[in-house]
Amino acid sequence: MEKIIVITGGSRGIGAATAHLAAERGYAVCVNYLHNQKAATSVVDSIEKLGGKAIAVAADIASETDVINLFNTVDEQLGKVTALVNNAGILEQQMRVENMDGDRLNRIFTTNITGVFLCSREAIKRMPSKNGGAGGAIVNVSSVASRLGSPGEYVDYAASKGAIDTMTIGLAKEVADEGIRVNAVRPAFIYTEIHASGGEPNRVERVKEFVPMKRGGQPIEVAKAILWLLSDEASYTTGSFIDVTGGK
Ligand code: NAP
């Protein structure tokens, strides 16, 4: 059976590392992105150079229309999805809750929560063995923030990841007897560009001394946990979490 994976936010950071590793492991890869076509194309090019199969598809996961188009495009160009990594996520300028306005909260929750639900819905429609599909696996990219809360920085972001943790547990149980597994990874401080959105590009350097392993993590270290959860090695694992945190 052909393995077909959709990685939301596959153009940069953890998503890009996951795209490369998935291609190495034999998946045909859909690299979803929001605006950065250059980055997405470069991930696709490097997968193709190594003999893999990949496409880049622009879609805002916060838009229901875009999400439907994303999965229809994958149907047409790659085939029925067998694996989904709900990786795309955003945070905004560090601030206390008392300074957050409604527009910001809606942006964070719509992308980080609604987007994950919409992508999961489209994947599940295509995966279930009871609907003639081959089953499949979903991995949500949550965050250690769901249990630390991110006070003074972005409690809204942390709360959105708390919702994803709960969704992982509930959805895993809902589709467990349909051949679909749903798990999550919870990274801590990983060297990517997301920290610039919070106004602190070098945040990992500042906080790494609070990590028991005394260092930040690399995107590939998260990607390896994601690929394990997607693989047959994890065939009896669902509704579970892997913290990729250096002990945090
Ligand atoms: P990143 O480097 O900022 O990359 C974000 C990716 O998501 C990009 O590919 C971006 O596309 C895409 N994206 C953003 N909004 C989108 C939208 N509305 N629709 C579709 N794609 C969208 O982020 P990262 O650090 O790799 O984070 C990936 C995930 O890991 C996130 O869910 C984040 O919360 C989680 N996480 C990260 C850390 C960390 O320390 N880095 C820790 C814990 C959890 P463009 O390239 O087009 O902009």
Side-chain angles (χ1 to χ4, degrees):
M1 185 193 72
E2 196 176 2
K3 299 191 292 185
I4 297 165
I5 191 168
V6 174
I7 302 167
T8 65
S11 48
R12 294 187 286 119
I14 293 167
T18 304
H20 287 118
L21 192 61
E24 268 178 42
R25 305 260 169 103
Y27 287 87
V29 183
C30 169
V31 176
N32 156 252
Y33 66 100
L34 181 59
H35 296 309
N36 197 332
Q37 186 180 13
K38 196 173 163 205
T41 305
S42 131
V43 173
V44 167
D45 286 349
S46 69
I47 287 173
E48 287 177 342
K49 260 189 204 128
L50 293 170
K53 192 169 173 183
I55 58 170
V57 183
D60 180 353
I61 61 159
S63 153
E64 188 161 17
T65 307
D66 278 17
V67 170
I68 290 168
N69 289 338
L70 166 66
F71 281 84
N72 285 341
T73 303
V74 173
D75 286 345
E76 285 160 19
Q77 297 191 19
L78 296 177
K80 289 257 181 287
V81 60
T82 63
L84 167 67
V85 183
N86 280 312
N87 166 75
I90 57 167
L91 50 76
E92 296 199 12
Q93 185 65 41
Q94 296 171 357
M95 64 175 65
R96 290 167 57 93
V97 171
E98 67 203 40
N99 296 319
M100 292 177 187
D101 64 27
D103 286 345
R104 167 188 167 128
L105 295 171
N106 286 332
R107 282 193 300 274
I108 296 291
F109 298 152
T110 307
T111 299
N112 293 4
I113 304 174
T114 308
V116 172
F117 272 81
L118 292 173
C119 291
S120 300
R121 182 191 76 193
E122 292 306 307
I124 285 164
K125 276 186 196 168
R126 289 158 170 84
M127 286 175 175
S129 46
K130 75 174 182 193
N131 291 343
I138 296 174
V139 172
N140 294 326
V141 182
S142 175
S143 170
V144 70
S146 70
R147 57 179 168 77
L148 298 181
S150 307
E153 292 189 322
Y154 17 71
V155 174
D156 53 349
Y157 167 85
S160 74
K161 296 301 188 180
I164 293 312
D165 287 2
T166 305
M167 182 268 204
T168 301
I169 294 166
L171 185 61
K173 291 176 178 171
E174 197 166 288
V175 298
D177 67 353
E178 295 168 21
I180 302 173
R181 297 181 300 102
V182 185
N183 293 288
V185 294
R186 286 190 296 218
F189 311 125
I190 310 298
Y191 290 100
T192 73
E193 291 165 358
I194 201 171
H195 308 288
S197 322
E200 193 184 4
N202 296 320
R203 177 170 176 265
V204 179
E205 288 306 300
R206 173 175 64 82
V207 297
K208 69 181 184 187
E209 68 173 289
F210 305 112
V211 175
M213 286 177 73
K214 303 291 180 208
R215 68 171 178 86
Q218 295 299 332
I220 187 65
E221 296 181 284
V222 184
K224 285 177 178 170
I226 293 171
L227 265 295
W228 183 78
L229 285 169
L230 292 175
S231 77
D232 287 344
E233 304 260 305
S235 53
Y236 199 51
T237 302
T238 198
S240 291
F241 299 84
I242 297 182
D243 286 6
V244 188
T245 61
K248 183 75 180 165

